[in-house]
Amino acid sequence: MSKEVILQNILATAKATAEKIVSEAEQNCDGQIALAEKAAAERLAAAQEEAREKAELNAARKRKIAELDAKKLTLGARRATIERAYALAAEKLTALPDDEYRKFIGGLIVKYAEPNDTVLVSKRDEKRLTADWLSKIGKGLKLSLAVSKEFTGGVILRNAFCDKNLTVEMLVAEVRPVTEAQVAALTEA
């Protein structure tokens, strides 16, 4: 065999081996690329699913917060309405026509006054709850009259032992625990 034939044999074998190595490398590379693409697609799908779940959870949280905020606003409005209802009740009592108001306050004085009490009336009421009026309703009790700036309506019966707070504010506060559930029910409608 001549040198040239041996050289061609070596070259052919080297070429075949090189082609085989390149082909195997390409196949191996293609397989690894396919595996990497598959892994990347799986990671992408998992990340998208996680992002979707987080978005749903975030949306649910925001909905819940919005619902709670709406309930807080509603409750605040209901509380304000209830407060306003009791304030209006007090205003209506003090705004009764003079005869009705004197009859109402007179009934309280007759029921709760003791001999020698001082009847404190508000500055607002001093012209309609007068000493003459008091002497007519408190016959035999020897009641005296004084004016106070501490309250807006009703009276305080004061003696050496105690004060009886019959102010409009106190009367409304006394009925509030009994009536508040009914008033609150009216605000739900």
Side-chain angles (χ1 to χ4, degrees):
M1 277 207 188
S2 75
K3 262 186 180 178
E4 227 174 85
V5 172
I6 294 176
L7 190 57
Q8 282 188 352
N9 256 349
I10 292 173
L11 284 176
T13 305
K15 185 177 180 184
T17 305
E19 286 175 355
K20 183 179 176 186
I21 290 171
V22 167
S23 174
E24 287 174 359
E26 284 176 350
Q27 286 176 355
N28 187 19
C29 197
D30 288 344
Q32 286 192 3
I33 288 172
L35 285 174
E37 287 175 347
K38 182 180 175 185
E42 289 171 356
R43 280 189 300 241
L44 177 62
Q48 287 173 335
E49 178 62 20
E50 183 181 347
R52 185 191 60 74
E53 289 173 359
K54 284 182 179 179
E56 287 176 2
L57 183 60
N58 193 23
R61 283 184 187 141
K62 286 184 178 182
R63 267 191 310 276
K64 193 64 170 173
I65 289 170
E67 288 171 8
L68 289 173
D69 286 345
K71 284 181 181 180
K72 283 181 195 175
L73 289 172
T74 301
L75 183 59
R78 286 182 63 207
R79 283 185 180 156
T81 301
I82 291 168
E83 289 299 323
R84 184 68 184 133
Y86 285 102
L88 282 172
E91 286 176 29
K92 280 192 169 194
L93 278 174
T94 57
L96 285 172
D98 290 350
D99 288 344
E100 286 181 50
Y101 187 72
R102 281 192 284 266
K103 184 177 179 182
F104 174 68
I105 298 299
L108 292 172
I109 292 171
V110 167
K111 186 173 182 177
Y112 295 107
E114 296 177 23
N116 300 314
D117 273 355
T118 299
V119 179
L120 295 174
V121 298
S122 69
K123 183 77 174 151
R124 177 179 178 173
D125 289 340
E126 77 177 313
K127 289 185 180 165
R128 63 180 176 171
L129 302 180
T130 63
D132 284 344
W133 168 80
L134 186 60
S135 66
K136 289 176 189 172
I137 64 159
K139 293 177 185 165
L141 291 175
K142 295 183 182 178
L143 301 174
S144 60
L145 187 68
V147 176
S148 173
K149 294 179 183 177
E150 297 175 18
F151 54 95
T152 58
V155 295
I156 294 176
L157 302 176
R158 181 169 284 164
N159 61 40
F161 303 106
C162 68
D163 288 352
K164 293 177 188 160
N165 189 344
L166 302 173
T167 61
V168 169
E169 295 90 342
M170 183 56 72
L171 296 172
V172 170
E174 292 254 336
V175 297
R176 187 171 180 157
V178 178
T179 60
E180 192 163 18
Q182 294 167 324
V183 173
L186 293 173
T187 65
E188 291 178 12

